């Protein structure tokens, strides 16, 4: 793990956390054997934010850990102000570590008179001061093209695969991996390969610009099989509810749901807890409050992404390959 000093172009690692991801940031710090750097983040009565660093970041290799899920605009603005503060304090290199990147679904102009908000988010993160970025399982990988600074776009679904392979696979009867929509087909295929199971797909069509989606048909066989439904995120839970009902109507036995980002907007956790699902498996890319965890009882498993982020941060700092972690 130790690298020669010649490769270290910057000072030490400096880890900062916004207010969105304190627990995850602490776990990353623990993994790296570092402490989180002190900073004040104050919200004035007029909702403007103020940031002050407790010590100098001059010449340091700085990582700012902050997801941009709910409250989206507060978390995003906080990240931007932290980045700018570090830039103005002459940090040598600043990496925005964004476990969940907002506006990922707004990645193309596929109808007239709409924005590409994901591009805008990439622009402002760079303008604020990020020299690099890191994120997990974005909704669409083409968002990498919206950034002109280097990025590590990491695959946390491999953590879900490992869990299912090691803890569930021996007990699953004729398992099949089912992707909740065709957009997750490639990742779904890797998931299925990872647990040595066949794959099926749900063809889903969104019918409006609101959060409503409609599941249509299953391509593949789920009858009398244990189903592992996979997706990148659960937001309102609408897509998963339709998917669970669809596979059940088509004869599925037990249903498991594995997804990277637990966004859980509005009443998603109650809605999900009411479904005939044996276990939900997700990550801590976005924290789930105790109130939102509660309806699941013991049916919710949260796997941490901290070692993944921590190891990539270590390698980025030491100028070592990240691809080697994944045998690339
Ligand atoms: C959509 O394309 C995504 O892969 C997810 O299926 C979607 O974001 C989930 O949203 P919701 O839980 O609101 O249906």
């Amino acid at each position: 793990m130790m690298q020669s000093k010649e490769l270290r172009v910057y000072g030490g690692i400096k880890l900062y956390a916004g207010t969105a991801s304190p627990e995850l940031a602490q776990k990353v710090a623990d993994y790296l054997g570092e402490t989180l750097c002190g900073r004040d983040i104050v919200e004035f009565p007029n909702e403007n934010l103020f940031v002050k660093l407790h010590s100098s970041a001059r010449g340091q290799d700085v990582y700012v850990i902050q997801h941009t899920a709910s409250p989206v605009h507060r978390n995003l603005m906080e990240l931007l102000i932290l980045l700018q503060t570090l830039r103005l304090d002459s940090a040598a290199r600043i990496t925005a570590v964004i476990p969940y990147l907002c506006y990922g679904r707004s990645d193309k102009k596929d109808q007239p008179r709409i924005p590409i908000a994901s591009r805008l988010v990439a622009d402002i993160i760079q303008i604020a001061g990020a020299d690099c970025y890191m994120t997990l399982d974005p909704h669409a990988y083409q968002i990498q093209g919206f950034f002109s600074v280097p990025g590590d776009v990491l695959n946390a679904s491999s953590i879900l695969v490992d869990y299912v392979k090691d803890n569930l696979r021996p007990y699953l009867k004729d398992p099949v991996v089912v992707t909740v929509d065709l957009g997750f087909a490639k990742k779904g295929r890797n998931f299925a390969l990872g647990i040595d199971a066949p794959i099926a797909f749900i063809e889903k069509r969104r019918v409006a610009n609101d959060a409503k989606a409609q599941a249509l048909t299953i391509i593949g066989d789920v009858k009398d099989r244990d189903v592992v439904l996979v997706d990148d995120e659960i937001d309102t839970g609408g897509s998963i509810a339709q998917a669970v009902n669809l596979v059940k109507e088509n004869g599925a036995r037990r249903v498991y749901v594995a997804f990277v980002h637990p966004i859980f907007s509005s009443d998603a956790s109650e809605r999900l807890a009411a479904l005939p699902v044996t276990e939900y498996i997700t990550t801590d890319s976005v924290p789930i409050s105790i109130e939102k965890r509660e309806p699941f009882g013991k049916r919710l498993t949260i796997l941490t992404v901290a070692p993944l982020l921590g190891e990539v941060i270590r390698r980025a700092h030491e100028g070592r390959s990240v691809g080697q972690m994944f045998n690339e």
Side-chain angles (χ1 to χ4, degrees), residues 105 139 180-181 204 206 211 231-240:
R105 292 197 222 170
H139 181 65
V180 171
D181 62 41
K204 181 182 84 171
R206 285 201 181 272
D231 206 352
D232 56 344
E233 66 176 49
I234 292 186
D235 181 1
T236 64
S239 306
I240 279 292

Side-chain angles (χ1 to χ4, degrees), residues 66-103:
Q66 172 89 332
H67 75 71
T68 54
S70 176
V72 174
H73 301 123
R74 154 79 199 221
N75 287 342
L76 178 61
M77 200 62 207
E78 203 181 285
L79 171 66
L80 298 174
I81 295 175
L82 274 163
L83 293 171
Q84 196 214 31
T85 309
L86 289 158
R87 168 63 61 232
L88 296 179
D89 197 46
S90 304
R93 182 174 69 173
I94 304 168
T95 302
V97 181
I98 313 168
Y100 178 79
L101 187 58
C102 60
Y103 285 100

